[in-house]
Amino acid sequence: MIYFTFRVIVVLLLPLFSIFASDMVRVPKGKYKPFIKVDSSISVKPVDVKSFLLDKYPVTKKEYAEFLADRPKWRKGKVPKLFADEGYLNDWEGKFAMEQQNTPVTYISWFSAKAYCEALGKRLPLTHEWEYVAFIPPSGGSSKTVDQEIMRWYGEKKPDHLQSVGKYKNSLGVYDMHGLIWEWVYDFNSSSVTGDSRADSDLESTLFCGAGALKANDFSNYAAYMRFGYRAGLKGWYTGKYLGFRCAKDIPIN
């Protein structure tokens, strides 16, 4: 089996940004080159990404606890298996020590993450939105800086307890897109389908072997390759020790 690497290409059209709300950053519109080709014979054109709002940080345990207080049906032990597996909130022990309140909430399913965002009038970010922001480097950095941060995280031993949010910051002021947790996106399973049919498993079967190269746009970004591979194996009810989320929001049109 042969493995390949890929690169996500981002072009910012509006370098300026503003804070729309205290916990959200306004992401300027730009272009994103899709990671996966639908047809190996067709060159993929960059996709226009509309300006949108994205949470400054991943959702924390403290914030999720506030959601649970208002939405008891999402508390541990009360969620049907259809919407979350047995690992849901696996490290949830009621009240948290002060040093844990600002750590990312994990052991979260896609369904619970979606419910949280919708309760706040937000939504989960789309894959192309998440990838677009994730590729933006820190101030004074470059794409290599981003890759180094990701590969550092992949290579290090994961801690038993996550650090607080606010560790890694890109030039937009968005924190922890890398180096802390995996994050749910709305269309997380889009990388496992091709064409117009979700029943088409061609891409899923070729993503991790030599044929995957025919569907790649760039072979130099191992980090993006790992993210898409990870997402392709997820189901909406799955949870994980390092799997959390953040919310996005459309910008109102006046």
Side-chain angles (χ1 to χ4, degrees), residues 188-205:
F188 69 92
N189 57 359
S190 63
S191 64
S192 62
V193 297
T194 59
D196 296 323
S197 174
R198 288 182 179 272
D200 183 353
S201 60
D202 175 61
L203 178 55
E204 187 172 8
S205 65

Side-chain angles (χ1 to χ4, degrees), residues 153-170:
W153 186 64
Y154 285 169
E156 71 180 11
K157 181 180 178 180
K158 299 297 182 292
D160 291 333
H161 300 288
L162 291 171
Q163 297 181 18
S164 295
V165 298
K167 181 180 178 182
Y168 171 87
K169 178 183 178 182
N170 71 13

Side-chain angles (χ1 to χ4, degrees), residues 20-92:
F20 184 81
S22 60
D23 63 339
M24 303 195 85
V25 170
R26 180 169 184 152
V27 179
K29 68 178 182 179
K31 291 184 179 294
Y32 164 80
K33 191 170 184 179
F35 175 71
I36 296 296
K37 294 180 180 180
V38 172
D39 187 328
S40 60
S41 65
I42 300 176
S43 178
V44 175
K45 296 181 180 179
V47 174
D48 290 329
V49 180
K50 296 179 180 180
S51 183
F52 67 101
L53 303 172
L54 187 66
D55 281 354
K56 195 173 184 179
Y57 304 99
V59 175
T60 64
K61 286 185 175 180
K62 179 180 179 181
E63 291 169 329
Y64 200 76
E66 294 171 353
F67 164 71
L68 294 180
D70 190 52
R71 300 289 197 282
K73 68 178 182 180
W74 287 103
R75 291 176 183 172
K76 183 177 180 180
K78 294 190 175 183
V79 181
K81 292 183 179 180
L82 179 64
F83 300 120
D85 63 24
E86 294 180 354
Y88 177 66
L89 296 181
N90 196 48
D91 62 348
W92 203 265

Side-chain angles (χ1 to χ4, degrees), residues 171-183:
S171 60
L172 285 182
V174 179
Y175 286 82
D176 306 318
M177 296 294 284
H178 306 298
L180 199 56
I181 59 172
W182 299 94
E183 294 186 15

Side-chain angles (χ1 to χ4, degrees), residues 110-181:
W110 178 86
F111 291 103
S112 57
K114 179 174 177 287
Y116 174 95
C117 293
E118 290 177 348
L120 297 179
K122 302 180 183 181
R123 59 175 173 80
L124 285 170
L126 298 171
T127 298
H128 70 268
E129 292 174 333
W130 197 98
E131 290 290 331
Y132 172 69
V133 177
F135 195 70
I136 298 172
S139 296
S142 66
S143 60
K144 290 184 177 180
T145 309
V146 177
D147 290 343
Q148 289 171 355
E149 174 63 19
I150 298 170
M151 299 311 295
R152 177 199 61 75
W153 186 64
Y154 285 169
E156 71 180 11
K157 181 180 178 180
K158 299 297 182 292
D160 291 333
H161 300 288
L162 291 171
Q163 297 181 18
S164 295
V165 298
K167 181 180 178 182
Y168 171 87
K169 178 183 178 182
N170 71 13
S171 60
L172 285 182
V174 179
Y175 286 82
D176 306 318
M177 296 294 284
H178 306 298
L180 199 56
I181 59 172

Side-chain angles (χ1 to χ4, degrees), residues 87-102:
Y88 177 66
L89 296 181
N90 196 48
D91 62 348
W92 203 265
E93 300 296 341
K95 293 184 178 180
F96 303 104
M98 185 62 67
E99 62 270 16
Q100 291 183 311
Q101 292 188 10
N102 288 320

